[in-house]
């Protein structure tokens, strides 16, 4: 017959052998961590510049499409006004006419000067011929200037990209008739940023230079990867005006140049802080769906049931927040394989 005392001793020994060996300690201490709120941020471009036609006419060619990258000064479309060709021909004909008159005025002036030398005509006749010659010269100069204006207008049919960036939209098609100043394309230039629209109650908690966490592409937590996989960003501007009960803020973050303009993604922003106690993930023991942490008690190791929260960093180390079960200063026992 097995004695009860021997049976209890055997069960206790087996239970001790089944537990992991603990060799290290971690002192739990209360730290202040920020409270994060998940909101949607919308990708914006610092500037959206319209590429406008400088003359009116018909679009003969378009060299851009939505999403294309363009450089400043690049020809993105050609606008043709057929009336300019007719005006140029008319200007050429007028210049020929005035050149003929100039030649006649030059001959008349030379003849008058020769006759003046022989004493046949008076000085008044020479002065009149000189005036007619000067008028002809000025008329030719004015006609050539008019033709230069027409040439300049013809060259302005080339629509140039006003800045380097990505084409957002092309609101015209081949053969479209447009007026001077109409938009041929919209180009997003400069660095991309995230624009946040927050409830008014967070107005006093949003600060410039505060750090935020930006999720990956996608509007759900799973698609954005959660807080752990988010990239850091920085609030660079908080607008002083509240619009429709919302506070507007801009976030600077690297690596969003391949996002679509107006694309939305999750952003976690600090809206407050609270004191929390954290422990390393390896200190958590899960048995039958309940989480425990082994602490060093006065009478030896003691398993304490805990309720866990989110993960945060303290002193560069990842910790799991313990909502209940621990106190500041508790000595947490760490297993040997965690050392």
């Amino acid at each position: 017959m097995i004695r009860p005392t021997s049976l209890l001793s055997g069960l206790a020994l087996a239970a001790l052998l089944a537990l992991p060996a603990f060799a290290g300690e971690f002192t739990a201490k209360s730290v202040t961590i920020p409270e994060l709120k998940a909101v949607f941020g919308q990708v914006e471009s610092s500037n959206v510049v319209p590429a406008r036609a400088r003359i009116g006419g018909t679009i003969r060619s378009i060299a851009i499409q939505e999403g294309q990258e363009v450089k400043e000064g690049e020809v993105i479309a050609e606008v043709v006004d057929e009336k300019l060709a007719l005006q140029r021909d008319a200007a050429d004909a007028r210049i020929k006419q005035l050149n003929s008159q100039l030649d006649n005025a030059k001959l008349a002036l030379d003849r008058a000067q020769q006759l003046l030398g022989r004493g046949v005509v008076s000085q008044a006749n020479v002065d009149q011929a000189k005036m007619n010659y000067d008028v002809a010269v000025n008329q030719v100069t004015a006609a050539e200037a008019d033709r230069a204006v027409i040439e300049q207008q013809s060259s302005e049919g080339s629509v140039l990209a006003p800045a380097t960036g990505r084409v957002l939209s092309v609101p015209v098609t081949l053969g479209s008739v447009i007026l001077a100043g109409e938009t041929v394309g919209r180009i997003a230039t400069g660095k991309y940023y995230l624009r946040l629209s927050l409830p008014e109650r967070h107005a006093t908690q949003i600060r410039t230079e505060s750090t935020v966490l930006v999720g990956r592409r996608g509007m759900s937590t799973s698609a954005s990867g959660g807080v752990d996989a988010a990239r850091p960003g920085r609030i660079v501007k908080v607008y002083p005006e509240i619009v429709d009960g919302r506070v507007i803020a801009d976030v600077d973050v690297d690596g969003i140049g391949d996002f679509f303009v107006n694309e939305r993604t999750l952003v976690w922003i600090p809206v407050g802080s609270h004191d929390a106690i954290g422990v390393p993930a390896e200190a958590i023991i899960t048995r039958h769906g309940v989480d425990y942490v082994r602490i060093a008690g006065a009478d030896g190791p003691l398993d304490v049931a805990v309720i866990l929260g989110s993960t945060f960093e303290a002193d560069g180390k990842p910790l799991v927040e313990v909502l209940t079960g621990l106190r500041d200063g508790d000595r947490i026992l760490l297993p040997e394989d965690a050392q």
Side-chain angles (χ1 to χ4, degrees):
M1 180 176 180
I2 302 176
R3 295 184 178 180
T5 304
S6 300
L7 178 60
L8 293 176
S9 300
L11 292 175
L13 178 61
L16 290 174
L17 293 176
L19 294 174
F22 288 84
E25 286 189 3
F26 175 85
T27 302
K29 59 181 179 179
S30 178
V31 295
T32 301
I33 62 174
E35 295 181 358
L36 300 179
K37 176 180 177 63
V39 298
F40 286 121
Q42 184 167 299
V43 178
E44 300 279 357
S45 174
S46 57
N47 291 299
V48 177
V49 183
R52 301 183 184 276
R54 293 178 288 178
I55 64 172
T58 304
I59 294 183
R60 174 179 291 177
S61 65
I62 298 177
I64 57 172
Q65 58 183 354
E66 288 81 355
Q68 179 179 340
E69 295 286 339
V70 295
K71 295 183 178 180
E72 183 178 358
E74 181 180 344
V75 178
I76 62 176
E78 289 285 350
V79 178
V80 176
D81 186 356
E82 296 179 354
K83 298 189 298 296
L84 293 178
L86 299 176
Q87 292 175 1
R88 183 171 54 248
D89 293 342
D92 290 338
R94 177 165 175 76
I95 290 175
K96 290 180 180 179
Q97 175 190 0
L98 293 175
N99 280 328
S100 297
Q101 295 178 0
L102 177 63
D103 293 340
N104 292 333
K106 182 68 170 60
L107 290 175
L109 177 61
D110 293 342
R111 187 180 303 111
Q113 289 175 341
Q114 292 175 1
L115 295 176
L116 177 64
R118 298 174 184 177
V120 176
V121 297
S122 65
Q123 182 64 41
N125 292 334
V126 175
D127 293 341
Q128 181 66 37
K130 180 66 169 60
M131 183 188 67
N132 293 337
Y133 174 76
D134 291 340
V135 170
V137 170
N138 292 334
Q139 287 178 338
V140 171
T141 302
E144 290 177 346
D146 291 339
R147 189 185 188 285
V149 171
I150 297 173
E151 289 289 347
Q152 179 63 28
Q153 289 178 337
S154 299
S155 66
E156 290 179 351
S158 298
V159 182
L160 307 179
T164 300
R166 186 191 302 179
V167 179
L168 297 183
S169 64
V170 183
V172 295
T173 59
L174 286 176
S176 298
V177 177
I178 61 175
L179 300 175
E182 286 194 41
T183 299
V184 176
R186 294 173 58 248
I187 301 174
T189 67
K191 190 175 181 179
Y192 286 3
Y193 61 92
L194 284 174
R195 174 158 292 175
L196 307 181
S197 179
L198 312 173
E200 183 179 348
R201 63 179 179 274
H202 299 309
T204 59
Q205 299 165 330
I206 301 301
R207 294 285 186 272
T208 304
E209 301 298 330
S210 297
T211 300
V212 301
L213 299 176
V214 180
R216 300 171 182 171
R217 306 183 81 160
M219 294 190 297
S220 65
T221 304
S222 58
S224 295
V227 178
D228 297 339
R231 72 185 79 177
R234 181 173 55 91
I235 296 179
V236 294
K237 181 186 292 185
V238 178
Y239 290 86
E241 183 180 11
I242 295 178
V243 180
D244 296 331
R246 313 289 291 184
V247 180
I248 307 301
D250 291 341
V251 175
D252 182 18
V253 57
D254 294 329
I256 61 171
D258 59 342
F259 278 55
F260 290 100
V261 175
N262 295 329
E263 182 176 352
R264 300 176 70 198
T265 187
L266 275 176
V267 181
W268 289 269
I269 63 172
V271 294
S273 61
H274 67 277
D275 294 333
I277 295 177
V279 298
E282 56 270 19
I284 300 171
I285 305 171
T286 303
R287 293 198 299 267
H288 306 294
V290 180
D291 296 318
Y292 296 88
V293 172
R294 175 156 291 192
I295 65 175
D299 299 329
L302 176 65
D303 289 345
V304 177
V306 294
I307 297 178
L308 305 178
S310 59
T311 303
F312 66 94
E313 284 193 5
D315 298 330
K317 298 179 180 179
L319 301 176
V320 180
E321 182 181 1
V322 176
L323 302 178
T324 60
L326 294 181
R327 293 178 298 179
D328 192 12
D330 283 343
R331 295 159 51 202
I332 311 300
L333 298 178
L334 300 178
E336 286 182 346
D337 56 4
Q339 300 303 309

